[in-house]
Amino acid sequence: MNSSTTDAAALRERALAALLAARDRTTLLTSCVEDSELMAQHSPLMSPLVWDLAHIGNQEEQWLLRAVAGRDAMRPEIDSLYDAFEHPRAERPSLPLLAPAEARGYAAEVRGRALDVLEKTPLHGTPLTDAGFAFGMIAQHEQQHDETMLITHQLRSGPTALTAPDPEPGPPFTGPSEVLVPGGPFTMGTSTEPWALDNERPAHRRLVPPFFIDTTPVTNAAYQRFIDDGGYEEIRWWSPAGWAMVRRNGLRAPLFWRREGGQWLRRHFGTVEPVPADEPVLHVSWYEADAYARWAGRRLPSEEEWEKAARHDPVTDRSLRYPWGDADPTPEHANLGQRHLRPAPAGSYPAGESPYGVRQLIGDVWEWTSSDFLPYPGFAAFPYREYSDVFFGGDYKVLRGGAFSVDAVACRGTFRNWDHPVRRQIFSGFRTARDAAPTESPEPEVS
């Protein structure tokens, strides 16, 4: 067997594993509740779970069966029902959606045919098939909707439907509270990652002045100090739009928090628990993250600062795939893939540390940055404008790093997420940064 045959077999195996892992997770998320709950809309911010299920199948049919294999449409009459741009989430319950059994059957039939296409299609020769891109894109798409469905599970009322073990406890983190990232250029984005999406491309050089960045994400305990100091009552910490959001909605804490009996509690996947002090704060909007940073005398990192802290190796001047290097994530590196249903304590995963000593840049919580969602120089939409291009320049802020809810196939050092700055239902947290003089040293270690 020659090397090209071996490479093709490895690509096919990788694509198959990614597709099967995504479908296993989809099945878990849609089989743990009654069909009536699949049909219900648990929040106007989210689709009914059954819509996501059939949409996953429809996207797979359109790209793998029609675009790659050139086959006729199986159910052309449902394309418009599952077009995310044609129907806002709040309207989807009123559509003539496929019932749960029919949606499951449709997704399963598409998957059976798609696996046949994967087995027979050369993974080279066209932009869609090179390195198995279309199969990787579909696996990422399904995992992104799995994360969306996990958000719906957090929003739904009623008893717990999902369980998972907590992250393994490690020793308390005693490292420095922030690290210095020296000024200078680095390579941002990628032109070589085979399954990278269009907004991650192309690789290009960025010059970044020196800055300090938090070693770990901001914790619940730190965020409580902001609350206790009247953070939600002081207009001076908030942008005008953020202050308007606070006043309009009467906000006093992150989403799902409530004060009771002298302590903060939160609702977490159907249970109520004391807010864990050492976990990264979760379910905060960009406006809340920005206000906290101002209160702390700091700021949110820019997208390029975040990526330099995560990927740049100052010894080799090379940008790594992940903070720890080029190897795919393992459970020792990061909290990914719904393996746990919560972030690990701040300072966890020393094996996942970046060359600068920053921890938990991948997994645990999505991290808000200060940056608007914009294209990189030389951006080209592929394979369709609606993935990224139509969102550029709008009211969107970039999030980086992924969360416990994100599968590794849809998370890497170059991966870019974006959302409206008001969003709180997503698994979002943040870390802060500050400017640094070229000769400045980091603060001493925390005790």
Side-chain angles (χ1 to χ4, degrees):
M1 184 178 294
N2 61 40
S3 60
S4 62
T5 302
T6 303
D7 291 345
L11 276 173
R12 224 175 293 281
E13 184 176 341
R14 182 188 178 209
L16 176 62
L19 290 168
L20 294 180
R23 187 51 49 89
D24 285 347
R25 188 177 175 198
T26 299
T27 301
L28 171 65
L29 290 162
T30 55
S31 64
C32 61
V33 293
E34 299 293 331
D35 283 359
S36 59
E37 294 225 43
L38 295 181
M39 296 292 292
Q41 186 173 47
H42 300 281
S43 165
L45 295 172
M46 310 303 291
S47 308
L49 292 168
V50 75
W51 186 92
D52 288 287
L53 175 59
H55 170 77
I56 286 167
N58 187 249
Q59 285 292 106
E60 186 166 331
E61 185 200 343
Q62 290 194 46
W63 286 103
L64 300 188
L65 302 190
R66 301 185 205 174
V68 171
R71 299 185 182 182
D72 292 337
M74 293 170 55
R75 299 284 300 270
E77 75 280 4
I78 69 171
D79 286 355
S80 64
L81 294 177
Y82 298 101
D83 185 332
F85 286 87
E86 190 168 336
H87 303 288
R89 288 175 174 175
E91 297 178 4
R92 291 171 190 172
S94 64
L95 300 173
L97 302 177
L98 301 183
E102 193 175 7
R104 289 189 185 100
Y106 169 64
E109 185 177 358
V110 171
R111 172 52 56 88
R113 298 185 186 190
L115 295 184
D116 179 65
V117 172
L118 173 60
E119 184 178 345
K120 296 176 180 177
T121 300
L123 301 185
H124 60 83
T126 72
L128 270 180
T129 58
D130 282 346
F133 175 82
F135 300 95
M137 179 184 73
I138 287 300
Q140 291 179 79
H141 174 266
E142 182 162 354
Q143 287 285 3
Q144 288 169 321
H145 276 272
D146 288 341
E147 182 181 15
T148 298
M149 290 193 283
L150 189 63
I151 293 169
T152 302
H153 275 280
Q154 167 64 7
L155 287 164
R156 63 177 283 274
S157 59
T160 301
L162 296 166
T163 60
D166 288 343
E168 289 290 329
F173 177 66
T174 58
S177 61
E178 61 176 8
V179 300
L180 173 66
V181 179
F186 86 107
T187 299
M188 186 173 186
T190 180
S191 297
T192 58
E193 186 72 27
W195 291 357
L197 303 171
D198 59 2
N199 62 62
E200 301 170 65
R201 301 172 182 272
H204 58 287
R205 295 291 278 179
R206 289 281 181 102
L207 179 63
V208 181
F211 66 97
F212 283 90
I213 190 166
D214 290 340
T215 311
T216 71
V218 170
T219 64
N220 288 318
Y223 199 85
Q224 284 181 48
R225 291 194 287 273
F226 168 65
I227 298 172
D228 294 344
D229 196 41
Y232 282 84
E233 299 161 13
E234 290 278 356
I235 189 173
R236 59 182 167 152
W237 307 129
W238 298 83
S239 67
W243 184 245
M245 180 192 72
V246 167
R247 306 306 294 171
R248 183 172 60 250
N249 297 287
L251 302 185
R252 292 292 180 267
L255 186 62
F256 305 118
W257 286 32
R258 71 171 189 257
R259 188 81 172 168
E260 188 175 296
Q263 67 175 333
W264 284 106
L265 305 176
R266 71 177 182 187
R267 183 167 60 81
H268 185 71
F269 292 107
T271 65
V272 176
E273 63 181 21
V275 172
D278 59 353
E279 283 185 14
V281 67
L282 194 61
H283 297 302
V284 290
S285 66
W286 183 90
Y287 292 127
E288 290 165 292
D290 177 63
Y292 173 95
R294 295 177 193 228
W295 169 81
R298 298 170 70 85
R299 58 177 175 78
L300 295 179
S302 67
E303 185 180 11
E304 52 264 39
E305 287 174 334
W306 187 97
E307 189 168 325
K308 183 171 184 179
R311 298 184 62 216
H312 182 244
D313 182 349
V315 175
T316 63
D317 190 34
R318 193 170 70 85
S319 288
L320 310 172
R321 293 181 69 216
Y322 297 98
W324 54 86
D326 295 332
D328 289 338
T330 70
E332 287 69 44
H333 290 126
N335 179 8
L336 291 167
Q338 201 181 309
R339 188 172 67 251
H340 311 296
L341 286 172
R342 62 176 66 242
S348 297
Y349 304 107
E353 190 174 275
S354 80
Y356 291 110
V358 189
R359 295 198 180 182
Q360 289 168 288
L361 286 157
I362 297 292
D364 286 306
V365 293
W366 284 108
E367 298 185 15
W368 288 110
T369 72
S370 64
S371 299
D372 297 331
F373 185 50
L374 296 170
Y376 289 160
F379 166 83
F382 176 78
Y384 57 106
R385 285 193 65 237
E386 289 77 12
Y387 183 74
S388 304
D389 194 36
V390 297
F391 296 101
F392 291 140
D395 178 31
Y396 298 99
K397 292 294 185 180
V398 174
L399 302 103
R400 300 298 296 262
F404 66 88
S405 53
V406 178
D407 188 80
V409 76
C411 183
R412 49 196 160 262
T414 57
F415 193 91
R416 307 171 75 196
N417 190 9
W418 65 96
D419 214 328
H420 295 290
V422 299
R423 290 289 185 252
R424 309 171 85 212
Q425 83 277 13
I426 60 178
F427 299 112
S428 53
F430 64 100
R431 71 181 74 216
T432 66
R434 66 181 176 94
D435 296 343
T439 58
E440 192 174 1
S441 299
E443 293 181 357
E445 294 186 357
V446 295
S447 59

